[in-house]
Amino acid sequence: MRYFLRRLGLFALTAWAAITLNFLLPRLMPGSPADAAIARLSQNGPVDAATRAAVEAQLGVPTGSVLSQYWDYLGNVVTLDFGVSYTFFPSTVASLVGSALPFTLVLVGLVTVAAFVIGTLVGVLAAWRRGTRLDALPTLTGSFLAAFPYFWTALLLLFFLGYTFRLFPTSGAYSPYTTPGLNGPFLADAVAHAVLPAVTILLTSLGGWILGMRNAMIGTLGEDYVTFAEANGLRSRTVALRYAARNAILPNLTGFGLALGGVVGGSLLVEQVFAYPGVGYLLYNAVTNQDYPLMQALFLMITLSVLVANFVVDTLYGILDPRTRR
Amino acid sequence: MSLLEVQDLSVVYEPSDAPVTHAVRDVSFTLERGEFVGLVGESGSGKSTLGFALTRLSKPPARISSGRILFDGADVAALEDEELRAQRRGGFAMVLQSGMNALNPVRTVGHHFDDVFAAHGHVPRERRAARARELVEKVELAPTVLGRYPGELSGGMRQRVSIALALALEPQLMVFDEPTTALDVLVQHAVMGTIRELQASEGFTALLISHDLGVVLESTSRVMVMHEGVVVEDAPSRDVLRDPQDDYTKMLLSHYGDPRAEVVELPGLAARGGELVTSSGTAAERSARGSGGSPGAGRRATAPVVVEGVSKVYPPPRRGAAPVTALDDVSMRLEPGQSLALVGASGSGKSTLAQLITGVVRPTAGTVSVGDVRVDRLRRRGLRELRRDVQMVFQDPYAALNPLHTVEYTLTRPVVNYTGRSRREARARVLELLDTVGLTPVEQFAAKLPHQLSGGQRQRVVIARALASDPQIIVADEPVSMLDVSLRAGVLALLEDLRAQHGVSMLYITHDLLSARVVTDHILVLHDGRVVERGETSQVLRFPQDPYTVELLDAVPQPSRAEGAA
């Protein structure tokens, strides 16, 4: 219990540090969004004071001491008030992120978890039957697929399954004729749209999990406790899962934590290729349009999601490995 | 009918990338019901391979190439997987060498018992908890261990748990593969005692595989000696002790002795009273002495090592626990050219004392000095200077050498760093060092990588490396405990020779009282960080005063005790 409380405390502390850094960094940078806008305008000719005032009024210029700004900022973070997007004016940042987040979380999150679970199970099987076809096939295909660049797999799938055979829609998260919400037609349509990006992520990340688990498990299979379990006549399923795999999965959990943390921010390429309206797509738009409020909110979210994922994995680790609890 | 009958058994290793090795060759023997038989051999003799073959745990690249193993009349090799698994209950069980790692670190001890009961279903569900308690009590553990994880138990406790797990199978044959090797002397003694009692009370047939003829002779009624894959001797323990037939057995026996005896002699080494003389010994040892007069090999020590009132307290391992006192008010003196033994069980603080003298660790209180130098006050530069004079020989020759570097490279580094010789002079010095430690032809050994050397040869390289800086003092931390019996005397003779010929002082850290008796003049017995006894080695070991010294002496395997046991 103390272990978990300590982890929780550490989590709260790092989260606070991340939020504060997110506040400080833009203020440490020279210039301001208003300066940038004015600089762009001034290329076309001198900018008069009225224009400058108008730009500053539109973008907002910080007032008050840094401390009071910080206090306001903390309040805004808590109430999820991240301001108004420049690009998608007058939508608020919160509403933009709120509409993009579910798609990314469901698509990338589920697929990442699925890839980890499937890859780990296949890895266990491959190690248990090492040297046989059950080992060679997944290991070879896994490393083959993992060697493909993300977007290349995506383009291939898009071309063959999307255009040539027209099995799946090629872009977007749902068709315009459905109404988003918890209704049958919409959900079926959303799933059809998610298939291609999901398969892309699954194919490219599966190989890593298979190889990682297989190699770790081959290591634990050589451990004395596995030999001793066999000598005691335990069923091979018990030996494989509770003795060898249970120990082999521990180092892979760390990798899983990183992958989970990357769910929110790391799907940029795939979302871009499939024009999937998730967080990655939004981030790309925010960066290309220099949409500072949107960027700031997204960066904060990405940081926080990495922290949450790490906390989850640390907790899991504590449950699975009694040695870390001390 | 015999319980186990082995007929012309051969086991080969067939790795895909190396030549085939014949680990076990045409071995035949039988085990009668209720017998306690020992299987002795040095590393590489094939004894463990044989043990794994008997219990059908051999894995590729090992393969039984010929012969049959009949267990209770049935051919073990013919068993289907499921039959084999089922007969692990009530059939043959095995306790592994490194009992330390035989338990799954993420499952409690109780879970291990549950797994065994669930796998065989021989204990009704409602009886299982009680049965597990019974079993751990049989191996003299408290039932509370059932709720604990392996990492929370000591090595001895873990080995007891694995014995209890093997017992849970109610086996007819128990194979113990080096059950106590990784354990501390006193713990080893206690665990062997438990094994003997269990064998008598439970009545299983036991095969004890060990490299230690002393341990085996003490416990078993019959001994098989294995050498290079062949059983060279198979006779009742008493006969092996009184009248060994094979030369190899005779050689093994010659390395045992009673440290309490008036005169102790080991091949190549002999000790009388407090004075030590080396008699003609192994070839390696002779060559070591032959080159003894070579110039520049070591300097006569002039500085005494003085430790006064030293304590070392480590911070508590976790919050809430008490701080750990490794050493408590210890004083000692090592005169130039003398050899001093530091003995005690693990945790007695002997290695901490060595770390204080080599400047690796600073004392919490007290002073450590080598000559005029206060070791406990040295900073980086001073420590570098100190290491020219004080060098270590480590316990594990397999871990003490970088596997990627040749012997020459390993030895050149300290020669260049500490003696400022040029490259060419350094090479000459390296060859000289190899000659001093008896690794000839020197040119050949210089070019070798650690994995191409045997354990004894590696330890000689480690010693040569320690000599490279022309040290005055050598701290040898269990230098022979990882080596086969037949190699120990050679390394000990070499160390002794360095002292006698070159006047190097030696601090010899060990739990092995017999070797302390033959290579040291003075002895310091440590127990829980305190000195419990000190004096001349022969005096202390022959007439021990402290009960702890007596306990240590009793734990020394005594083949001669077999007479009583048999």
Side-chain angles (χ1 to χ4, degrees):
Chain A
M1 201 56 224
R2 268 225 340 241
Y3 171 82
F4 299 111
L5 287 179
R6 217 165 45 218
R7 289 281 137 201
L8 196 64
L10 203 66
F11 168 69
L13 195 74
T14 38
W16 170 78
I19 289 171
T20 306
L21 268 181
N22 201 50
F23 167 80
L24 282 179
L25 283 180
R27 278 162 185 76
L28 292 176
M29 284 194 298
S32 69
D35 288 341
I38 292 161
R40 235 177 304 158
L41 286 177
S42 66
Q43 286 170 352
N44 307 329
V47 181
D48 59 32
T51 318
R52 171 178 290 270
V55 170
E56 285 184 348
Q58 187 194 357
L59 298 181
V61 170
T63 50
S65 71
V66 174
L67 258 185
S68 74
Q69 285 176 38
Y70 180 58
W71 186 247
D72 288 345
Y73 164 79
L74 282 187
N76 289 341
V77 167
V78 171
T79 54
L80 299 179
D81 178 4
F82 295 103
V84 178
S85 160
Y86 297 173
T87 324
F88 303 98
F89 189 81
S91 302
T92 61
V93 169
S95 73
L96 284 171
V97 173
S99 62
L101 195 58
F103 288 107
T104 294
L105 277 188
V106 172
L107 173 72
V108 190
L110 276 185
V111 174
T112 303
V113 173
F116 178 70
V117 172
I118 298 172
T120 302
L121 287 177
V122 174
V124 167
L125 194 70
W128 188 247
R129 298 252 178 263
R130 73 175 171 287
T132 69
R133 234 179 271 174
L134 269 178
D135 176 17
L137 189 73
T139 312
L140 282 178
T141 20
S143 36
F144 180 69
L145 287 173
F148 271 59
Y150 236 30
F151 55 92
W152 178 243
T153 313
L155 287 176
L156 281 184
L157 287 174
L158 205 56
F159 183 78
F160 287 107
L161 299 182
Y163 289 102
T164 314
F165 299 108
R166 299 199 169 276
L167 290 174
F168 299 103
T170 53
S171 74
Y174 52 90
S175 313
Y177 51 79
T178 55
T179 6
L182 283 176
N183 55 70
F186 169 73
L187 288 179
D189 185 59
V191 168
H193 277 84
V195 168
L196 287 186
V199 170
T200 308
I201 302 175
L202 195 66
L203 283 183
T204 41
S205 58
L206 205 54
W209 296 124
I210 295 179
L211 289 181
M213 188 61 191
R214 174 186 176 272
N215 295 347
M217 172 118 166
I218 282 178
T220 55
L221 279 175
E223 293 286 344
D224 285 326
Y225 49 79
V226 171
T227 313
F228 190 54
E230 274 173 22
N232 286 343
L234 303 196
R235 286 174 206 286
S236 28
R237 217 159 67 128
T238 318
V239 178
L241 295 181
R242 286 196 199 156
Y243 285 73
R246 177 69 197 280
N247 281 287
I249 205 170
L250 296 174
N252 282 13
L253 274 183
T254 315
F256 182 52
L258 289 176
L260 269 190
V263 161
V264 171
S267 52
L268 204 141
L269 270 178
V270 171
E271 290 187 355
Q272 191 59 28
V273 171
F274 292 100
Y276 199 82
V279 177
Y281 194 60
L282 196 61
L283 179 64
Y284 177 78
N285 280 326
V287 172
T288 45
N289 295 311
Q290 294 188 321
D291 190 341
Y292 289 96
L294 191 52
M295 269 196 273
Q296 204 181 358
L298 286 175
F299 286 146
L300 184 64
M301 269 196 24
I302 291 169
T303 319
L304 288 181
S305 62
V306 170
L307 289 179
V308 170
N310 272 333
F311 174 68
V312 169
V313 166
D314 271 350
T315 312
L316 258 179
Y317 219 109
I319 294 171
L320 287 178
D321 190 349
R323 286 165 295 186
T324 52
R325 267 177 252 158
R326 270 176 289 139
Chain B
M1 185 174 49
S2 312
L3 179 65
L4 184 78
E5 194 173 344
V6 176
Q7 300 168 345
D8 300 318
L9 186 73
S10 294
V11 182
V12 292
Y13 280 90
E14 296 171 327
S16 50
D17 53 353
V20 173
T21 358
H22 299 268
V24 176
R25 306 160 193 244
D26 292 327
V27 167
S28 301
F29 65 91
T30 58
L31 293 183
E32 302 302 329
R33 280 170 207 281
E35 243 190 330
F36 196 162
V37 178
L39 179 62
V40 179
E42 295 188 89
S43 46
S45 63
K47 57 187 192 303
S48 286
T49 309
L50 179 57
F52 275 80
L54 295 182
T55 47
R56 231 189 103 172
L57 288 169
S58 303
K59 279 186 192 151
R63 185 175 66 83
I64 295 178
S65 56
S66 66
R68 290 208 302 168
I69 303 165
L70 299 177
F71 181 77
D72 214 1
D75 190 346
V76 170
L79 290 175
E80 293 291 324
D81 282 355
E82 186 53 30
E83 280 177 286
L84 174 73
R85 192 188 74 73
Q87 78 83 53
R88 296 228 182 250
R89 187 195 83 73
F92 40 73
M94 182 139 177
V95 174
L96 294 175
Q97 178 156 15
S98 29
M100 314 283 275
N101 308 324
L103 302 177
N104 187 344
V106 300
R107 288 174 80 68
T108 63
V109 171
H111 282 136
H112 283 81
F113 281 97
D114 292 343
D115 287 344
V116 169
F117 294 143
H120 299 287
H122 60 298
V123 178
R125 209 171 277 276
E126 64 281 2
R127 277 269 303 135
R128 286 179 187 171
R131 179 70 181 144
R133 274 198 300 279
E134 247 170 70
L135 286 163
V136 293
E137 273 166 10
K138 272 190 188 175
V139 293
E140 291 155 36
L141 290 175
T144 47
V145 297
L146 289 171
R148 297 169 70 182
Y149 287 96
E152 299 168 336
L153 306 179
S154 72
M157 289 164 90
R158 274 182 258 178
Q159 190 59 294
R160 282 172 190 275
V161 168
S162 34
I163 293 172
L165 279 167
L167 275 182
L169 300 164
E170 298 159 14
Q172 298 179 62
L173 170 66
M174 281 266 248
V175 177
F176 296 94
D177 186 10
E178 303 266 15
T180 59
T181 303
L183 305 177
D184 185 55
V185 251
L186 295 177
V187 181
Q188 171 174 359
H189 192 60
V191 171
M192 277 314 301
T194 306
I195 290 178
R196 278 194 293 269
E197 281 163 28
L198 283 173
Q199 196 270 334
S201 63
E202 308 285 307
F204 53 78
T205 311
L207 182 67
L208 173 64
I209 301 173
S210 175
H211 68 282
D212 194 333
L213 186 56
V215 167
V216 168
L217 281 172
E218 252 182 13
S219 311
T220 61
S221 56
R222 199 179 104 209
V223 175
M224 294 186 285
V225 179
M226 222 172 154
H227 182 47
E228 291 179 353
V230 179
V231 171
V232 294
E233 183 131 8
D234 181 354
S237 305
R238 195 185 316 197
D239 296 353
V240 170
L241 185 65
R242 285 202 194 132
D243 184 21
Q245 297 300 307
D246 191 82
D247 287 342
Y248 184 72
T249 318
K250 288 178 194 163
M251 188 279 292
L252 285 181
L253 269 173
S254 71
H255 287 277
Y256 286 89
D258 185 350
R260 281 192 253 213
E262 196 174 338
V263 177
V264 179
E265 255 188 277
L266 292 186
L269 280 165
R272 297 170 310 180
E275 251 234 327
L276 189 137
V277 289
T278 45
S279 64
S280 64
T282 62
E285 189 251 338
R286 267 199 302 279
S287 78
R289 181 153 350 108
S291 61
S294 61
R299 283 176 288 163
R300 294 225 158 249
T302 51
V305 178
V306 181
V307 173
E308 267 175 63
V310 153
S311 297
K312 178 69 194 174
V313 181
Y314 286 103
R318 62 190 103 134
R319 224 179 304 172
V324 179
T325 307
L327 283 177
D328 186 6
D329 192 21
V330 170
S331 299
M332 56 152 264
R333 197 179 166 84
L334 174 62
E335 297 295 345
Q338 206 191 41
S339 65
L340 173 72
L342 212 56
V343 301
S346 46
S348 60
K350 53 190 197 301
S351 291
T352 306
L353 190 49
Q355 288 174 325
L356 288 171
I357 291 170
T358 47
V360 178
V361 166
R362 278 167 205 278
T364 315
T367 62
V368 179
S369 43
V370 173
D372 310 328
V373 181
R374 278 284 297 276
V375 176
D376 52 305
R377 288 195 186 152
L378 289 179
R379 302 260 159 228
R380 292 183 62 148
R381 205 187 149 79
L383 280 174
R384 210 180 111 85
E385 291 297 311
L386 175 77
R387 292 198 175 120
R388 185 195 304 276
D389 290 332
V390 183
Q391 279 285 324
M392 282 285 288
V393 173
F394 298 95
Q395 176 171 17
D396 185 353
Y398 295 88
L401 295 174
N402 186 331
L404 299 178
H405 292 315
T406 61
V407 169
E408 178 170 355
Y409 181 85
T410 301
L411 295 180
T412 306
R413 287 278 293 273
V415 167
V416 171
N417 287 347
Y418 282 115
T419 65
R421 284 179 167 86
S422 70
R423 282 273 151 193
R424 190 187 308 161
E425 288 167 345
R427 178 168 165 80
R429 174 71 178 134
V430 165
L431 299 181
E432 198 179 279
L433 284 168
L434 284 173
D435 189 56
T436 307
V437 297
L439 290 175
T440 48
V442 287
E443 299 276 350
Q444 265 180 38
F445 277 102
K448 291 202 176 192
L449 287 165
H451 75 266
Q452 297 168 312
L453 303 174
S454 73
Q457 289 169 337
R458 282 184 220 209
Q459 197 59 303
R460 284 170 189 274
V461 175
V462 174
I463 294 173
R465 181 177 60 185
L467 290 175
S469 66
D470 295 335
Q472 298 195 30
I473 296 146
I474 287 188
V475 177
D477 189 357
E478 304 263 16
V480 296
S481 68
M482 306 276 288
L483 302 181
D484 275 329
V485 178
S486 58
L487 297 171
R488 287 184 186 179
V491 172
L492 286 176
L494 170 63
L495 286 172
E496 177 50 28
D497 215 61
L498 292 171
R499 191 183 67 82
Q501 300 291 325
H502 305 301
V504 177
S505 326
M506 183 167 71
L507 186 65
Y508 179 67
I509 301 169
T510 189
H511 65 267
D512 175 12
L513 297 176
L514 180 64
S515 64
R517 174 75 198 271
V518 295
V519 297
T520 63
D521 313 317
H522 290 82
I523 194 165
L524 208 66
V525 183
L526 279 172
H527 179 39
D528 287 343
R530 293 178 152 273
V531 178
V532 294
E533 193 157 4
R534 65 171 87 215
E536 283 192 15
T537 309
S538 54
Q539 197 66 23
V540 169
L541 295 185
R542 284 180 63 194
F543 311 107
Q545 301 299 314
D546 191 85
Y548 182 72
T549 317
V550 176
E551 205 182 331
L552 282 176
L553 278 165
D554 284 340
V556 176
Q558 282 307 321
S560 49
R561 261 185 235 150
E563 303 216 42

